[in-house]
Amino acid sequence: MAIGVLLLAFFVSFLCSESRYIAYNTSQGIVPGKINVHLVPHTHDDVGWLKTIDQYYVGSNNSIQVACVQNVLDSVVPALLADKNRKFIYVEIAFFQRWWRDQSEAVKSTVKQLVSSAQLEFINGGMCMHDEAAPHYIDMIDQTTMGHRFIKQEFGVTPRIGWQIDPFGHSAVQAYLLGAEVGFDSLFFARIDYQDRDKRKNEKSLEFIWRGSKTLGSSAQIFAGAFHRGNYEPPSGFYFEVNDDSPIVQDDISLFDYNVEERVNDFVAAALSQANVTRTNHIMWTMGTDFKYQYAHTWFRNMDKLIHYVNEDGRVNALYSTPSIYTDAKHATSESWPVKTDDFFPYADRANAYWTGYFTSRPALKRYVRLLSGYYLAARQLEFFKGRNNLRPNTDTLADALAVAQHHDAVSGTEKQHVANDYAKRLSIGYVEAEEIVGSSLAYLVESSNTARRKPMTKFEQCSLLNISYCPPSEMDFSRGKSLVVVVYNSLGWKREDVVRIPVISESVTVQDSSGKVIESQLLPLANVSVGIRNYHVKAYLGKSPGITPKYWLTFLASVPPLGFSTFIVSEAKQAGSSAIASTLHTSAGSENGTIEVGQGNLKLIYSIDEGKLTQYINSRSSVKASLHQSYSFYTGSNGTDKDPQASGAYIFRPNVTFPISSKGKDTLTVLRGPILDEVHQRINPWIYQVTRVYKAKEHAEVEFSVGPIPVDDGIGKEIITQITTTMDSNKTFYTDSNGRDFIKRIRDSRTDWDLQVNQPIAGNYYPINLGIYMVDNRTEFSVLVDRSVGGSSVVDGQVELMLHRRLLHDDSRGVAESLNEQVCILDECTGLIIQGNFYLRIDPLGEGAKWRRSAGQEIYSPFLLAFTEQVEGNWTSSHVSTFSGVDPSYNLPDNVALLTLQELEDGNVLLRLAHLYEMGEDKDLAVMASVDLKKLFPEKKISKLVERNLSASQERAEMEKKRLVWNVEGTSADEPKATRGESVDPAKLVVELSPMEIRTFIITFDYIFLPMVDF
């Protein structure tokens, strides 16, 4: 009884205690000598993943995920205003831009003050947090530039920190190009291989100096940090969203569950644990995760309390911070840091879970993104030549769609199907508007001799489904006196010769060049498989069946000047000998040795008739003669039902068994010969068809494949690969590109930074490929280039392997909660997705392969742009400009320089970006300093002002270099080769120098620029 009375007295006393207002002290800064815990409030807002970008923004479709970015931003602003010491970082400008448009001038003024006071800081600052495996470096630059220009225009600031916290592995290009060359002082991320992370924690090397470019070295290095838990969330127990289950800080002594001491102890324990794996006395806590801060007050209330009570406790110091403050604190310690080179691919979060499947996932979307990326580059050039229209149409819609498509759950292929559809829809809408710009710009140029600034009358059409042989303007009946005008635009900076292919319905056709001369052309019959793909997909995509079925591909060789076009006229052949030459069909009869030779020029491919397979590669010019075989196989995807439940899915590649796919010998081999190219058609199996092309004027082979629908009636998902096998002694070594830019050396079953424990010998050796993959031995180089992002490897010496398509029936438990089972539907009838694409292969003498990889890579990224119009009567060339070049007639860009960006901006200034294509030592002739004469690049314009900018064009280059932090590194840099850079541009000479791997960005003001034409 006495105990009961005592307890009752205690509780009465407790309940009668007075609660009081507490003014939390959140003003604490860095304290020397203590562990400083930098609390970084953030939200990670995917611009599409489980929901579309707009669904995430407005907060709809919450049956999938309760997430509303509007709520985040609406909630954060008043929370920051409540305490001047609070801070918040924001990353995804695609969302912020949407929110910004909806705000009143009063709110905008308030937010600008928050940015000015550094309470709100933009980090990374691109339109999205782009993926680092699947995007091309040009797309990464473009989407970052868009975001940075918006931030600069609205707030007058430039982001200084990279924040790639969610991509699934990290590229060298991200570090040096989208990091150091943008002007970032540091780069932070979460996902590195679990084995690598464990080693780095033990060595306290989770933070380091990253030199991503072996050419630019320390001149493009960046301080980088990988989060020690492998995610971007707070320590366990410190999540404070409304519905999170972490214990809040309950400091009201008049209420039950008072827990200040417990929470402080938890905080200190977590801080000490992290400090034990971190150099210096500064650690960062990422206080947030996906779509958090929808009710920001709950986060800030608890962080206010933690800072107050932890600092009263005194064992560690807590403060509101940002990655910028954290970086400056790290820099101020004068610590020496380890150096990291190459990249962080592939990424595994545990044994048997390599995130290498997404290198290929959704290959159709990957191709669409890459195709429109090259188109956007050309469309901006043409928009510049005509003059930009800020009121629409312009290329901005396509720019927005492409920017969002670089997101790490977009082009990566790791989103839900309805979200993938949304990305494709946005790209299509952007393409339609850009197509209008391209057509009107070409019309302006072809009529420029007689338009007198009136609206051009020529109406051009383009063929977005030309890859499946659907092109209505070329399928006309020439027998009625009509002619087809084909304008071929070349967006490259050098003169180019390439083969044009268009479908036609008649065999009696002829082709004339710009001078009216009949040129050589060739007809190839349209294969039945192509007709089937064409008819089905036209109905699926356009909702109608084609009215006409073409019979032939018409091919001819087009020579086109740099940044210009040539015109070709296709008409009925009325004179003997002027018709396109029909291809001859080869049969095996008469073959002396059971082989057939394909190729009219220097390159010859030898096929075995009995086996129906490629056997040999011969180049008579380079004296290369090599054994070469190509085959198809598939991996069965793990269904996750064994002792390890990990399945193969959108992210994860976990193969079970490899099954070869065999063709059935000579009946599968059809050879077509002609004066321009030879083709070898092969029916590999009922759902794989292949055409190999050898062009007379080229020294590489082009392989066009159609794969699908992949059969899954057996309940087994499949991942389709092609293997190209040589007899080269590659010694486990091969090279893959980094986002289409640098090549990185790979050694099978090995990592540069740690001793790899091999548990997935195939998936663990897969790497992302955007440009190509190659191998070398002591005599030759074997290179394979691709037309989109794919996964690939060399899992056997002398062999290159590419994954072309995936169809899987199980989710891989990484959040998307959907199997990767893509289909195409007509009404309610659906079939598995067919993937059509190309890869290109070539064997060169040792040391000579880079020239083809770099030049052909540019041609693959920027194919000819074709525009069509009809001529009923008259002479086109006498009434129109039939050839055009935007550069001086005597000038080409150097062979080692690419024009990445030529774009008129909203203010009339022009954004120019030039890139050196070669790495140091990559080619004896071309890996040298190059120069570009701007006077010849812009012969009709006078440059009045030229300002060099950082890569994202958001600050002057000189200003960026002046602010760049200098870091101490472990060891010595004496052996590091000195990186060279082009000199400043003399405003009188206007010659731009570019050293190997250098990209230079300029804002140009012209004294005179063509104004947009007036519409009447």
Side-chain angles (χ1 to χ4, degrees):
M1 175 64 76
I3 294 175
V5 170
L6 241 121
L7 284 172
L8 179 61
F10 170 79
F11 280 118
V12 169
S13 169
F14 178 77
L15 291 171
C16 291
S17 299
E18 291 186 11
S19 62
R20 57 187 175 81
Y21 170 75
I22 301 174
Y24 299 109
N25 181 7
T26 60
S27 63
Q28 186 76 308
I30 292 168
V31 176
K34 280 189 178 181
I35 293 173
N36 290 275
V37 185
H38 294 250
L39 302 183
V40 177
H42 80 105
T43 179
H44 174 64
D45 298 339
D46 292 303
V47 295
W49 179 37
L50 309 182
K51 305 199 295 188
T52 69
I53 179 174
D54 288 346
Q55 289 171 349
Y56 272 134
Y57 176 67
V58 302
S60 61
N61 208 358
N62 282 339
S63 62
I64 294 177
Q65 185 181 11
V66 179
C68 176
V69 176
Q70 264 183 321
N71 287 350
V72 172
L73 293 168
D74 285 345
S75 180
V76 163
V77 171
L80 292 176
L81 292 173
D83 183 343
K84 66 179 182 180
N85 298 309
R86 291 174 174 175
K87 299 186 184 299
F88 192 79
I89 63 171
Y90 200 73
V91 174
E92 295 85 5
I93 300 304
F95 280 133
F96 190 88
Q97 198 176 58
R98 283 164 165 77
W99 182 81
W100 190 246
R101 289 194 296 257
D102 292 341
Q103 304 311 305
S104 67
E105 290 304 316
V107 171
K108 287 183 176 180
S109 177
T110 298
V111 173
K112 287 179 179 179
Q113 291 173 10
L114 291 173
V115 173
S116 178
S117 66
Q119 276 191 268
L120 175 62
E121 183 175 353
F122 294 106
I123 300 291
N124 224 32
M127 297 301 286
C128 68
M129 186 182 294
H130 54 229
D131 184 49
E132 297 184 40
H136 194 278
Y137 75 95
I138 294 178
D139 289 324
M140 298 164 80
I141 293 170
D142 283 343
Q143 80 89 15
T144 302
T145 300
M146 286 181 64
H148 284 198
R149 294 193 70 247
F150 169 82
I151 294 169
K152 188 72 170 183
Q153 289 167 355
E154 296 294 337
F155 300 97
V157 297
T158 300
R160 53 174 295 222
I161 306 295
W163 190 255
Q164 289 289 110
I165 60 175
D166 198 23
F168 329 122
H170 304 282
S171 73
V173 156
Q174 176 63 40
Y176 87 85
L177 195 60
L178 278 302
E181 292 296 283
V182 165
F184 288 162
D185 289 321
S186 58
L187 169 64
F188 296 99
F189 46 89
R191 302 186 190 273
I192 65 173
D193 190 279
Y194 72 102
Q195 296 181 37
D196 190 10
R197 186 175 69 250
D198 288 346
K199 181 173 184 288
R200 289 179 179 277
K201 287 169 70 173
N202 290 334
E203 297 176 348
K204 289 191 174 184
S205 60
L206 284 163
E207 294 173 325
F208 46 87
I209 301 302
W210 193 353
R211 294 175 179 168
S213 170
K214 56 182 177 286
T215 298
L216 299 178
S218 60
S219 74
Q221 70 184 20
I222 191 167
F223 178 78
F227 300 149
H228 82 290
R229 288 182 301 276
N231 60 41
Y232 44 88
E233 302 177 355
S236 178
F238 291 92
Y239 296 73
F240 297 121
E241 200 74 16
V242 170
N243 295 323
D244 284 335
D245 57 6
S246 296
I248 63 166
V249 182
Q250 207 298 81
D251 62 344
D252 188 339
I253 59 174
S254 68
L255 303 178
F256 288 178
D257 302 324
Y258 180 85
N259 66 354
V260 169
E261 183 178 0
E262 178 185 347
R263 291 272 65 197
V264 168
N265 287 338
D266 292 341
F267 188 101
V268 172
L272 292 175
S273 174
Q274 185 171 340
N276 285 334
V277 298
T278 308
R279 299 189 188 196
T280 79
N281 61 328
H282 296 278
I283 61 174
M284 184 197 301
W285 281 16
T286 48
M287 299 302 291
T289 184
D290 294 8
F291 302 99
K292 299 302 183 183
Y293 291 79
Q294 294 188 65
Y295 187 54
H297 190 57
T298 63
W299 282 91
F300 284 111
R301 179 198 296 128
N302 283 280
M303 285 187 289
D304 287 351
K305 293 179 181 181
L306 285 170
I307 291 171
H308 179 85
Y309 291 117
V310 165
N311 292 340
E312 276 191 349
D313 174 84
R315 285 175 286 172
V316 300
N317 181 58
L319 66 152
Y320 277 122
S321 188
T322 68
S324 296
I325 295 171
Y326 180 78
T327 299
D328 290 338
K330 288 285 186 177
H331 183 258
T333 65
S334 298
E335 176 78 16
S336 291
W337 303 95
V339 173
K340 160 74 179 173
T341 57
D342 58 60
D343 62 8
F344 286 95
F345 287 116
Y347 160 63
D349 57 3
R350 58 184 178 83
N352 301 322
Y354 278 93
W355 298 48
T356 53
Y358 83 96
F359 299 160
T360 298
S361 294
R362 301 196 187 280
L365 179 62
K366 283 178 164 65
R367 175 56 183 158
Y368 198 32
V369 170
R370 186 62 49 83
L371 185 72
L372 292 187
S373 175
Y375 188 85
Y376 174 55
L377 183 148
R380 283 182 290 174
Q381 293 176 3
L382 288 165
E383 186 177 42
F384 163 75
F385 291 133
K386 176 177 179 285
R388 177 184 164 86
N389 181 357
N390 284 335
L391 299 178
R392 306 271 295 270
N394 54 44
T395 57
D396 292 354
T397 304
L398 180 56
D400 287 338
L402 277 168
V404 170
Q406 308 313 314
H407 169 56
H408 58 269
D409 285 307
V411 69
S412 60
T414 54
E415 66 275 31
K416 282 186 177 291
Q417 183 63 58
H418 80 104
V419 181
N421 296 343
D422 185 74
Y423 291 130
K425 181 179 180 179
R426 292 173 186 277
L427 290 167
S428 178
I429 292 170
Y431 168 76
V432 168
E433 186 173 341
E435 185 182 41
E436 187 176 349
I437 286 296
V438 167
S440 63
S441 298
L442 287 173
Y444 168 80
L445 293 171
V446 300
E447 297 183 23
S448 58
S449 61
N450 58 11
T451 54
R453 291 188 49 76
R454 63 173 175 80
K455 183 177 180 180
M457 303 299 292
T458 305
K459 300 295 182 185
F460 280 107
E461 294 182 74
Q462 294 160 65
C463 296
S464 59
L465 298 181
L466 184 59
N467 66 312
I468 58 170
S469 69
Y470 181 71
C471 185
S474 74
E475 297 164 17
M476 66 166 60
D477 185 354
F478 295 111
S479 65
R480 299 180 180 179
K482 295 180 180 179
S483 297
L484 177 69
V485 178
V486 185
V487 173
V488 182
Y489 180 74
N490 171 27
S491 59
L492 298 181
W494 54 77
K495 182 180 178 180
R496 175 177 175 187
E497 290 190 350
D498 212 340
V499 173
V500 173
R501 299 170 64 236
I502 57 174
V504 294
I505 62 173
S506 171
E507 61 184 14
S508 180
V509 292
T510 187
V511 182
Q512 296 172 291
D513 64 12
S514 301
S515 66
K517 177 185 175 183
V518 174
I519 62 173
E520 190 172 56
S521 57
Q522 178 182 346
L523 290 170
L524 298 109
L526 203 63
N528 289 336
V529 66
S530 299
V531 173
I533 290 174
R534 173 186 192 270
N535 292 342
Y536 184 85
H537 288 85
V538 168
K539 180 70 179 293
Y541 296 150
L542 303 183
K544 62 181 181 180
S545 296
I548 302 172
T549 299
K551 297 178 180 179
Y552 306 99
W553 282 108
L554 172 66
T555 65
F556 56 90
L557 188 64
S559 178
V560 188
L563 303 185
F565 63 77
S566 296
T567 306
F568 300 87
I569 310 296
V570 182
S571 58
E572 183 182 21
K574 296 180 179 178
Q575 298 179 358
S578 65
S579 289
I581 299 172
S583 302
T584 58
L585 179 65
H586 172 86
T587 63
S588 58
S591 178
E592 297 178 359
N593 55 4
T595 64
I596 184 170
E597 182 181 278
V598 177
Q600 307 292 310
N602 292 329
L603 176 62
K604 303 286 191 298
L605 298 182
I606 310 299
Y607 285 80
S608 165
I609 293 177
D610 291 335
E611 297 180 7
K613 293 180 179 179
L614 175 65
T615 60
Q616 203 168 37
Y617 177 107
I618 301 171
N619 186 319
S620 57
R621 180 195 60 79
S622 63
S623 300
V624 168
K625 184 175 182 180
S627 172
L628 189 65
H629 299 266
Q630 188 224 346
S631 60
Y632 286 87
S633 298
F634 68 83
Y635 297 112
T636 56
S638 171
N639 59 14
T641 59
D642 59 8
K643 60 183 180 181
D644 184 336
Q646 181 61 62
S648 210
Y651 301 89
I652 306 297
F653 173 34
R654 189 186 179 199
N656 264 349
V657 183
T658 310
F659 290 94
I661 301 172
S662 300
S663 57
K664 299 177 181 179
K666 61 184 178 183
D667 291 340
T668 65
L669 200 67
T670 302
V671 178
L672 299 169
R673 298 185 186 279
I676 295 174
L677 75 155
D678 288 358
E679 285 189 343
V680 180
H681 290 243
Q682 294 171 274
R683 166 61 77 184
I684 308 299
N685 73 0
W687 44 274
I688 299 178
Y689 192 85
Q690 175 175 293
V691 181
T692 302
R693 299 187 179 97
V694 180
Y695 297 94
K696 181 178 180 180
K698 296 183 180 293
E699 295 185 13
H700 68 262
E702 172 187 304
V703 180
E704 180 186 285
F705 59 87
S706 297
V707 178
I710 299 173
V712 291
D713 296 343
D714 54 5
I716 299 173
K718 300 172 183 66
E719 313 189 55
I720 314 307
I721 60 169
T722 188
Q723 295 154 318
I724 307 141
T725 306
T726 72
T727 56
M728 294 172 63
D729 181 12
S730 55
N731 193 27
K732 301 176 70 174
T733 302
F734 57 103
Y735 300 80
T736 63
D737 68 274
S738 179
N739 302 110
R741 190 88 180 126
D742 309 62
F743 278 92
I744 297 179
K745 182 179 181 179
R746 313 296 190 185
I747 300 176
R748 189 164 61 253
D749 295 335
S750 177
R751 300 291 186 267
T752 304
D753 298 326
W754 79 96
D755 293 329
L756 177 68
Q757 178 184 343
V758 179
N759 46 54
Q760 284 288 317
I762 298 173
N765 285 299
Y766 255 62
Y767 292 89
I769 300 171
N770 281 279
L771 169 58
I773 178 173
Y774 73 93
M775 305 180 300
V776 302
D777 64 9
N778 58 4
R779 296 183 302 108
T780 55
E781 300 182 28
F782 174 49
S783 308
V784 181
L785 304 185
V786 297
D787 68 347
R788 74 198 74 191
S789 169
V790 300
S793 185
S794 175
V795 296
V796 175
D797 275 2
Q799 183 183 89
V800 164
E801 173 174 317
L802 302 177
M803 184 181 289
L804 306 178
H805 196 1
R806 317 177 74 216
R807 189 180 185 187
L808 299 163
L809 304 180
H810 298 273
D811 177 55
D812 54 14
S813 303
R814 292 304 183 277
V816 76
E818 207 175 77
S819 61
L820 186 67
N821 184 9
E822 295 184 277
Q823 297 180 317
V824 175
C825 301
I826 298 178
L827 299 177
D828 295 329
E829 293 187 13
C830 300
T831 61
L833 182 67
I834 297 174
I835 291 301
Q836 184 171 288
N838 298 79
F839 59 87
Y840 311 81
L841 55 89
R842 174 164 162 156
I843 304 176
D844 286 287
L846 183 64
E848 298 181 16
K851 188 175 298 184
W852 177 71
R853 288 191 294 270
R854 295 300 184 180
S855 60
Q858 286 296 300
E859 293 178 355
I860 294 166
Y861 177 82
S862 292
F864 278 156
L865 189 157
L866 307 182
F868 306 89
T869 192
E870 186 179 299
Q871 178 183 340
V872 179
E873 57 185 21
N875 188 325
W876 175 272
T877 55
S878 65
S879 57
H880 297 81
V881 175
S882 56
T883 60
F884 164 83
S885 177
V887 307
D888 187 280
S890 64
Y891 191 66
N892 283 274
L893 284 185
D895 291 342
N896 51 6
V897 174
L899 177 66
L900 301 189
T901 310
L902 177 58
Q903 177 182 3
E904 183 183 346
L905 304 174
E906 298 92 332
D907 59 5
N909 288 326
V910 172
L911 175 61
L912 173 70
R913 197 175 276 120
L914 298 164
H916 198 297
L917 292 172
Y918 288 77
E919 298 178 68
M920 178 178 60
E922 193 174 10
D923 184 89
K924 59 183 175 61
D925 300 317
L926 296 172
V928 296
M929 187 71 75
S931 60
V932 174
D933 188 334
L934 297 185
K935 292 180 181 179
K936 292 184 177 180
L937 189 61
F938 301 106
E940 301 299 323
K941 302 179 188 296
K942 182 180 179 183
I943 295 175
S944 61
K945 186 178 181 182
L946 179 79
V947 180
E948 184 165 10
R949 312 286 280 191
N950 67 326
L951 187 70
S952 63
S954 57
Q955 61 180 318
E956 291 192 17
R957 176 88 193 191
E959 177 189 358
M960 179 193 82
E961 294 292 354
K962 192 184 303 181
K963 295 186 297 185
R964 192 186 292 278
L965 299 180
V966 178
W967 298 86
N968 298 323
V969 299
E970 293 179 343
T972 176
S973 299
D975 296 332
E976 186 200 356
K978 179 68 175 176
T980 57
R981 298 276 186 163
E983 296 290 335
S984 298
V985 178
D986 184 328
K989 296 180 180 179
L990 292 174
V991 174
V992 177
E993 291 182 340
L994 295 118
S995 68
M997 279 290 105
E998 188 173 19
I999 298 178
R1000 301 185 71 176
T1001 302
F1002 301 91
I1003 297 292
I1004 301 177
T1005 303
F1006 291 105
D1007 270 349
Y1008 173 78
I1009 189 166
F1010 291 124
L1011 297 174
M1013 292 181 302
V1014 179
D1015 289 343
F1016 294 99

